[in-house]
Amino acid sequence: MDTKEVDESRVMRRTELQLHDSVSTRTGTLWTAVAHIITGVIGAGVLSLAWAMSELGWIAGPAALIAFAGVTLLSAVLLSDCYRYPDPETGSLRLNSYSQAVNLYLGKKNQMVCGFFVYITLFGCGIAYTIVTATCIRAIMRSNCYHREGHSATCSYGDNNNYFMLLFGLLQIFMSQIPNFHNMLWLSIVAAIMSFAYSSIGLGLAFDKIIEKRQIEGSVKGSPAENRGAKVWLVFQALGNIAFSYPFSTILLEIQDTLKSPPAEKQTMKKASMAAVIITTFFYLCCGCFGYAAFGDSTPGNLLTGFGFYEPFWLVDFANACIVLHLVGGYQVYSQPIYAAMERWLTEKYPQNKFVARFYSLKWPMLRGGMVRVNPMRMCLRTTYVVIITGIAMLFPYFNEVLGVLGALGFWPLAVYFPVEMCILQRKIRVWTRPWLLLRLFSFVCLLVSFLALVGSIHGLVRAKSR
């Protein structure tokens, strides 16, 4: 297809997308957009940054964080121009989701590929959240044990976290049946407060550790490994952990759709993206650098559960409790789109099947109204999904390795490839021109980094499993 023009007939064939120019009032501002981005970005991934920094060292570590920040910002700038179609300034169609934009600009096949990576990322986040939550629950119990028995006591509480993962899975089975749980306003507020709370506590504890030691740990080369080959794999895995922590491309257009105009939505979104990336990068650099400076070569994979901190035990407990509360709700936020997609497919395929379509009313005194509607298909489907997630987490309970795989899988296609391709089509950039070559080079370099991070993380996962 000629990149100089978009085939208008293809637009007509996609009317089923129901692209809309919503008449509802948009009241979002620059600072609400910044808040939404930061809330969506800062999460459990921040806990792995100190470890990533320890593998990369004092030069490559900060440089990698800044480089990923630059890629994330460029991706946001390219994507914000795609909000209005066909022209970024005067286009009459507003695209309020990443999937809509990919479908309109690149076609149905690309949308399916995009959906695959989105759902894999969502599925993987469920696994990561299960692992982290179980680790944090166990860390709370161990912290209390160390406080009572002394820091040299044996407070193992089992050799693994399977028991705690099962408890978390049971809780999620129950919560997955609550209607519209993920849309509750308080869930977003709690998630934002909790994520800042535990990140700030980890940062503060690391800073206190540096003051206590009166020296800065670490080296330019990073933590030593068994041999050069092992070091290379760990460096690639560290890049995957950083990649997991940054991108927000899949929620950018939804945030941009809340912004009022004038000024033009894309102008506000670009400013918001720059402010959010700068704030997030500063916060990440502080967490990563202070954590590495506090522990050096012994930096734990998870800053708050690796027991570099013993006291004050109540603050360590509180930080881990914040993580648990954040991820209990976050699990549902990431799972609900998958539930919706599976249930929609089954409902369309078997509209007359009673197991799929019929709802039953049951008495439930604890709920307002005393009644709850239950659908057998929904109950079985969501329960099976949680069981699968929990089973995989129990099979591969490795925090940094899993984060590395997820970050590497989703970073290039969602944060780089699709925004670049949509930009080329929208701006009608000619093949082999300087802008075209620069965008292609940018995409290729990011692909190479993502591939190396994926290989390194898979290698780490296999190695951890074989121990």
Side-chain angles (χ1 to χ4, degrees):
M1 176 180 176
D2 190 349
T3 57
K4 294 188 297 181
E5 60 181 354
V6 176
D7 186 357
E8 294 300 328
S9 65
R10 190 171 70 184
V11 177
M12 299 298 294
R13 291 197 300 269
R14 284 165 177 76
T15 55
E16 74 273 12
L17 287 174
Q18 298 179 347
L19 301 176
H20 64 282
D21 188 0
S22 174
V23 296
S24 61
T25 303
R26 293 177 174 85
T27 58
T29 64
L30 170 66
W31 295 112
T32 62
V34 171
H36 283 309
I37 294 170
I38 293 176
T39 301
V41 170
I42 295 180
V46 71
L47 300 173
S48 70
L49 293 179
W51 175 85
M53 191 75 67
S54 73
E55 297 301 334
L56 294 169
W58 276 121
I59 294 179
L65 280 171
I66 294 172
F68 275 96
V71 172
T72 302
L73 182 58
L74 179 56
S75 169
V77 169
L78 297 179
L79 197 56
S80 61
D81 283 337
C82 298
Y83 172 63
R84 285 185 177 270
Y85 180 86
D87 185 84
E89 298 283 352
T90 61
S92 58
L93 292 178
R94 301 173 189 258
L95 310 182
N96 67 347
S97 78
Y98 192 82
S99 178
Q100 277 188 350
V102 172
N103 194 347
L104 181 61
Y105 283 100
L106 304 177
K108 188 68 176 178
K109 290 183 179 179
N110 279 280
Q111 185 196 28
M112 293 175 66
V113 175
C114 171
F116 170 78
F117 283 105
V118 169
Y119 288 129
I120 284 292
T121 301
L122 296 176
F123 184 83
C125 283
I127 298 172
Y129 281 15
T130 302
I131 295 170
V132 177
T133 303
T135 306
C136 291
I137 296 173
R138 185 182 178 206
I140 292 173
M141 298 178 69
R142 293 180 66 192
S143 175
N144 293 331
C145 175
Y146 286 131
H147 179 70
R148 292 192 310 267
E149 308 295 335
H151 299 173
S152 60
T154 302
C155 300
S156 61
Y157 288 98
D159 295 330
N160 54 54
N161 298 320
N162 288 351
Y163 175 73
F164 304 109
M165 290 185 192
L166 288 173
L167 289 178
F168 182 71
L170 289 173
L171 176 62
Q172 291 300 335
I173 287 174
F174 168 75
M175 295 182 68
S176 67
Q177 307 302 324
I178 301 177
N180 298 320
F181 177 83
H182 64 296
N183 287 329
M184 294 181 181
L185 177 62
W186 64 267
L187 188 63
S188 296
I189 297 174
V190 169
I193 295 173
M194 293 300 103
S195 61
F196 273 105
Y198 65 72
S199 300
S200 300
I201 291 171
L203 174 59
L205 289 173
F207 186 67
D208 180 70
K209 194 82 170 181
I210 296 170
I211 295 176
E212 179 185 333
K213 289 184 174 181
R214 296 185 179 181
Q215 66 176 357
I216 295 176
E217 302 284 352
S219 65
V220 172
K221 295 181 179 179
S223 302
E226 300 172 6
N227 51 60
R228 290 185 179 180
K231 180 63 179 179
V232 170
W233 293 124
L234 288 170
V235 167
F236 292 160
Q237 185 179 319
L239 293 176
N241 277 247
I242 296 174
F244 178 84
S245 305
Y246 261 115
F248 55 93
S249 55
T250 55
I251 61 173
L252 184 143
L253 292 179
E254 294 179 17
I255 295 172
Q256 191 167 343
D257 195 49
T258 67
L259 299 176
K260 62 182 179 182
S261 61
E265 301 92 348
K266 73 168 190 174
Q267 294 178 10
T268 304
M269 196 66 215
K270 289 177 182 179
K271 292 178 181 178
S273 298
M274 178 171 290
V277 169
I278 290 173
I279 293 170
T280 302
T281 302
F282 174 77
F283 192 67
Y284 281 1
L285 282 169
C286 289
C287 290
C289 291
F290 283 150
Y292 182 37
F295 298 107
D297 295 343
S298 59
T299 303
N302 183 327
L303 190 60
L304 288 172
T305 62
F307 282 93
F309 309 114
Y310 290 96
E311 301 292 343
F313 81 100
W314 59 268
L315 189 58
V316 176
D317 287 355
F318 178 72
N320 281 294
C322 287
I323 298 174
V324 172
L325 288 175
H326 177 202
L327 300 189
V328 163
Y331 184 102
Q332 288 301 315
V333 171
Y334 282 102
S335 298
Q336 288 292 338
I338 298 180
Y339 295 157
M342 293 189 297
E343 289 164 9
R344 182 170 57 248
W345 181 80
L346 286 172
T347 302
E348 292 174 354
K349 190 171 182 65
Y350 306 103
Q352 305 301 322
N353 189 294
K354 294 182 179 180
F355 179 80
V356 173
R358 178 170 292 185
F359 284 81
Y360 300 88
S361 296
L362 299 177
K363 291 184 178 180
W364 195 275
M366 295 176 63
L367 294 180
R368 185 180 299 177
M371 300 291 290
V372 61
R373 298 182 71 211
V374 176
N375 175 255
M377 177 270 292
R378 176 180 294 177
M379 182 175 292
C380 294
L381 188 67
R382 297 186 178 195
T383 300
T384 303
Y385 176 84
V386 175
V387 169
I388 293 172
I389 289 282
T390 306
I392 296 175
M394 292 171 65
L395 192 62
F396 298 100
Y398 312 112
F399 175 62
N400 297 101
E401 291 81 359
V402 170
L403 288 194
V405 170
L406 294 176
L409 270 178
F411 181 75
W412 177 72
L414 300 178
V416 179
Y417 173 74
F418 289 119
V420 165
E421 294 300 315
M422 289 189 287
C423 172
I424 290 174
L425 281 175
Q426 187 193 57
R427 298 184 182 182
K428 303 179 178 64
I429 298 176
R430 295 176 179 271
V431 178
W432 301 115
T433 59
R434 184 178 179 182
W436 186 90
L437 289 172
L438 288 174
L439 286 172
R440 292 297 184 194
L441 178 62
F442 167 68
S443 182
F444 175 76
V445 171
C446 292
L447 171 61
L448 182 61
V449 172
S450 295
F451 176 75
L452 294 176
L454 179 61
V455 173
S457 299
I458 292 176
H459 177 271
L461 200 62
V462 172
R463 187 178 181 185
K465 186 63 180 176
S466 62
R467 287 173 184 170

